[in-house]
């Protein structure tokens, strides 16, 4: 996954963001998603096997309180008028989950 200034790669148990690499658990991951919100880069990927969503910054540092439960890719943005960011993911078969990052 890439943007004009950021390249994100995932292979086996290595996630690379802008030439910085972190080891992650082996799993069945979605393709990394790249988000640019409020002048900050976020990278999300979901382990479908363990049903966990991981979120990293541009320095490959995990965002506090992650991973969280989820079964799909996410849609990540500021969806209300406060300054906290939110994302939506699939929960169980007939449910969606809305998370807010404080």
């Amino acid at each position: 996954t890439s943007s004009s200034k950021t390249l994100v790669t995932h292979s086996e148990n290595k996630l690379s963001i802008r030439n910085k690499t972190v080891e992650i658990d082996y799993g069945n991951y979605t393709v990394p998603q790249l988000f640019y919100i409020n002048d900050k880069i976020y990278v999300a990927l979901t382990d479908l096997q363990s049903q966990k969503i991981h979120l990293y910054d541009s320095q490959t540092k995990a965002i506090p309180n992650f991973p969280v439960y989820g079964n799909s890719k996410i849609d990540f943005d500021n969806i209300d008028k406060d300054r906290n960011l939110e994302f939506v993911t699939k929960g169980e078969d007939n449910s969606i989950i809305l998370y807010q990052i404080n």
Side-chain angles (χ1 to χ4, degrees):
T1 304
S2 66
S3 69
S4 60
K5 296 182 180 180
T6 304
L7 174 65
V8 179
T9 62
H10 171 245
S11 179
E12 295 183 9
N13 72 325
K14 299 199 186 305
L15 175 67
S16 297
I17 305 168
R18 297 176 126 185
N19 295 324
K20 294 186 178 190
T21 302
V22 64
E23 287 192 15
I24 57 177
D25 293 336
Y26 285 98
N28 179 20
Y29 289 95
T30 59
V31 173
Q33 296 175 268
L34 183 61
F35 299 95
Y36 185 70
I37 304 168
N38 298 335
D39 296 325
K40 186 168 181 178
I41 294 170
Y42 297 93
V43 175
L45 66 162
T46 302
D47 183 348
L48 299 173
Q49 181 178 333
S50 67
Q51 301 175 336
K52 293 180 181 176
I53 296 168
H54 299 263
L55 189 64
Y56 296 90
D57 67 11
S58 62
Q59 304 299 310
T60 66
K61 292 183 182 167
I63 301 299
N65 302 316
F66 278 83
V68 296
Y69 172 76
N71 286 316
S72 68
K73 291 181 174 183
I74 69 171
D75 194 2
F76 187 46
D77 208 344
N78 187 349
I79 64 171
D80 54 17
K81 296 184 189 254
D82 65 14
R83 60 185 194 97
N84 297 321
L85 299 177
E86 296 85 16
F87 68 92
V88 177
T89 187
K90 179 183 173 198
E92 296 300 321
D93 290 336
N94 292 335
S95 68
I96 61 170
I97 300 170
L98 172 64
Y99 287 99
Q100 178 174 289
I101 300 174
N102 295 324

